[in-house]
Amino acid sequence: TDVAHPPPKHGIVFVGSSSIRLWDLPRWFPDLPVINRGFGGSQIADSIHFVEPLVLKHRPRTVVLYAGDNDVNAGKSAEVVHRDFQRFVRAIHDELPEARIVFIAIKPSIARWRLAQTMHAANRLILAECEDDERLVFVDIWEPMLAGNDGPPPEKWFVDDGLHLSDPGYELWTGRVMPHMDHQEVKVGSN
């Protein structure tokens, strides 16, 4: 628990759905002050609703968000997912205006391939948003996971359910996210 083992302040909070929750962050980011606040089945709106206990109380320098997958699966349009992303950004930047927000693109998956068009459209809207604000980073895992395929992504990225990531999937994600991590020490005197 946070009481027994307080997480680092000014670290890197990972938030979002089960792709975050299942990511063994200390294993993949061993030298970084990472905090995992993912929870299964969540949508962007859930991370907004619980933004204080999940994110803001940790005063992170960087927030990594993976969500949108469950949103589209629940019937939300690309435009609604984009608006929810904008609301999430506002919720963070109203309290932590300097925080960097790293959005991991909604992934293509075997299990939800029927929703690929809507997911890809949401990614494009969020990418455009990120290009307009230097505090926002869009990490494209869509193209690398498709690996040049026209159809669903290769099975190697997933466990048996065709939705959640395998070790090779997390290896790919880590490689794409790592360059956007803040490796600098916290400035002395900041709080």
Side-chain angles (χ1 to χ4, degrees):
T1 66
D2 286 356
V3 175
H5 304 283
K9 287 263 193 256
H10 310 294
I12 302 163
V13 173
F14 283 68
V15 67
S17 61
S18 53
S19 294
I20 295 290
R21 184 181 62 80
L22 298 167
W23 201 343
D24 184 351
L25 297 179
R27 173 185 168 199
W28 292 103
F29 300 93
D31 301 321
L32 294 175
V34 291
I35 304 166
N36 192 323
R37 290 296 176 263
F39 57 107
S42 67
Q43 299 182 24
I44 297 172
D46 298 312
S47 292
I48 298 166
H49 183 77
F50 296 109
V51 73
E52 175 59 43
L54 290 175
V55 181
L56 297 177
K57 81 170 193 176
H58 302 295
R59 316 303 293 172
R61 290 174 298 167
T62 302
V63 179
V64 179
L65 173 66
Y66 178 78
D69 200 327
N70 293 320
D71 309 55
V72 174
N73 193 52
K76 289 184 178 174
S77 69
E79 292 74 22
V80 169
V81 173
H82 175 229
R83 275 199 304 276
D84 284 348
F85 173 74
Q86 291 173 315
R87 288 174 49 228
F88 178 83
V89 168
R90 272 197 306 278
I92 300 296
H93 283 161
D94 282 353
E95 287 284 321
L96 303 169
E98 303 296 312
R100 181 187 312 152
I101 299 172
V102 177
F103 180 80
I104 300 173
I106 304 170
K107 71 180 182 293
S109 67
I110 298 164
R112 294 180 174 170
W113 185 245
R114 72 192 185 285
L115 303 170
Q117 271 190 301
T118 304
M119 291 174 170
H120 195 46
N123 283 337
R124 285 195 306 268
L125 291 169
I126 292 169
L127 169 61
E129 187 86 17
C130 292
E131 287 175 338
D132 286 342
D133 187 333
E134 62 186 16
R135 299 169 298 173
L136 305 180
V137 176
F138 182 89
V139 174
D140 179 22
I141 48 88
W142 184 273
E143 294 300 331
M145 287 187 76
L146 287 181
N149 288 356
D150 287 336
E155 291 179 11
K156 68 179 178 180
W157 304 131
F158 303 96
V159 295
D160 290 344
D161 66 5
L163 178 64
H164 296 103
L165 296 175
S166 63
D167 263 12
Y170 280 118
E171 185 175 358
L172 172 71
W173 280 32
T174 302
R176 302 294 293 199
V177 169
M178 186 67 86
H180 304 290
M181 296 295 91
D182 185 352
H183 299 277
Q184 296 177 354
E185 293 299 313
V186 180
K187 293 186 187 93
V188 175
S190 67
N191 52 15

